[in-house]
Amino acid sequence: MKIIASNFKTNHTRQSTNEFINDINKFLKDENIKNDIYIFPPSTALDNFDTVSNLCIGTQNAFYVKDGPYTGEIGHSHLDEFDIKTILIGHSERRHILDETQKTVSLKFNYFKALGYKIIYCVGEPLDIKNQGLSQTLGYIQEQFDGIDLSYKDMIVAYEPVWAIGTGVSCGLDDIATIHKKLAKKTTAPLLYGGSVKLDNIKDIINIPNVDGVLIGTASWHKDDFKKIIENCI
Ligand code: 13P
């Protein structure tokens, strides 16, 4: 059983998300696909979707509140409305572009953990750290676990090296295997790899030991591509 997750990032409208999810849902049903599929649409496209049990819709982000005076943020009351109980936390775009600190990330983690959410928790090193070698990379990732309960039962950890995200250059298979082996020693959570996963590398990546699935951006935004990727993980 593999996990295949699509992160829409700032792509797809409410209408195209609806079409995408309904189409993927029908595909999973028609093809009797058993893998666990996650889709993370933008917040404006969240809704009550009628899906098969192995298709889960999550949020890319939320603030660690129920509601209140936090302009531009959504809280968990907005997720409750659609029965959304799955969240991405720690994505590198939020850390490095939106300047979320480890403190903020851990506050989010602990807030949504207390609510029993399924948390896809993302870690990964930028290029300058990778270039300093494996021990620097592992040290950097270790700091991204500060304040994070690695024994939380509803957690999935996604290793997404920053330099591999959206670049078309995926991490080497041996390097993925090395990092995932280290992660598997820290946690029993399922482990995903993300960073330029696409049709031509999905089969190799999904079969690496300690890789329980993938978190995909670019290559998952067209439903036909996403369906082909899902087919390649059967
Ligand atoms: P890409 O697949 O576009 O590299 O993005 C990966 C990612 O950031 C998924 O969260």
Side-chain angles (χ1 to χ4, degrees):
M1 184 82 82
K2 295 289 182 181
I3 297 166
I4 305 145
S6 167
N7 176 5
F8 279 9
K9 308 190 179 185
T10 314
N11 296 285
H12 278 292
T13 61
R14 187 169 179 78
Q15 185 176 333
S16 69
T17 296
N18 204 14
E19 288 163 8
F20 188 105
I21 290 175
N22 288 333
D23 192 68
I24 296 298
N25 188 56
K26 182 174 181 320
F27 170 73
L28 298 179
K29 211 186 304 179
D30 291 350
E31 304 298 321
N32 196 26
I33 286 168
K34 296 293 177 215
N35 283 329
D36 285 334
I37 313 298
Y38 290 79
I39 297 175
F40 295 89
S43 308
T44 55
L46 296 177
D47 208 337
N48 280 308
F49 294 100
D50 185 16
T51 62
V52 290
S53 60
N54 57 323
L55 172 56
C56 174
I57 311 302
T59 185
Q60 295 174 25
N61 183 41
F63 197 42
Y64 45 90
V65 293
K66 178 164 183 271
D67 47 32
Y70 309 101
T71 302
E73 297 290 330
I74 61 166
H76 82 83
S77 66
H78 307 93
L79 303 172
D80 288 349
E81 185 178 14
F82 305 123
D83 213 13
I84 286 174
K85 289 272 178 259
T86 303
I87 185 168
L88 275 181
I89 295 180
H91 192 280
S92 76
E93 285 150 12
R94 296 213 58 86
R95 292 178 189 268
H96 299 292
I97 302 175
L98 283 307
D99 288 335
E100 272 189 22
T101 63
Q102 185 58 28
K103 176 88 188 141
T104 307
V105 167
S106 65
L107 282 168
K108 282 191 184 181
F109 183 95
N110 286 297
Y111 185 84
F112 286 99
K113 174 190 157 196
L115 292 172
Y117 272 58
K118 171 144 286 181
I119 299 173
I120 285 85
Y121 185 70
C122 306
V123 296
E125 80 289 357
L127 188 58
D128 61 319
I129 301 292
K130 174 197 159 51
N131 287 341
Q132 289 169 38
L134 181 61
S135 71
Q136 292 298 114
T137 298
L138 293 171
Y140 187 93
I141 293 171
Q142 183 57 41
E143 285 179 11
Q144 295 182 315
F145 289 125
D146 279 358
I148 305 300
D149 174 8
L150 275 165
S151 65
Y152 178 47
K153 66 172 176 39
D154 274 320
M155 170 161 74
I156 295 172
V157 173
Y159 169 57
E160 298 203 296
V162 180
W163 50 271
I165 294 179
T167 59
V169 182
S170 177
C171 187
L173 302 180
D174 290 346
D175 289 345
I176 299 174
T178 302
I179 302 286
H180 277 240
K181 193 173 172 191
K182 297 280 184 192
L183 290 173
K185 292 213 165 93
K186 290 184 195 300
T187 178
T188 56
L191 303 174
L192 310 185
Y193 167 77
S196 295
V197 175
K198 44 199 172 193
L199 199 50
D200 66 11
N201 62 19
I202 180 78
K203 267 205 161 131
D204 290 335
I205 291 173
I206 208 92
N207 285 314
I208 297 171
N210 300 307
V211 171
D212 300 297
V214 286
L215 177 54
I216 314 173
T218 317
S220 70
W221 297 337
H222 293 281
K223 53 185 180 328
D224 293 338
D225 296 346
F226 191 45
K227 284 192 263 189
K228 282 194 197 121
I229 286 174
I230 293 171
E231 275 174 340
N232 270 268
C233 295
I234 295 171

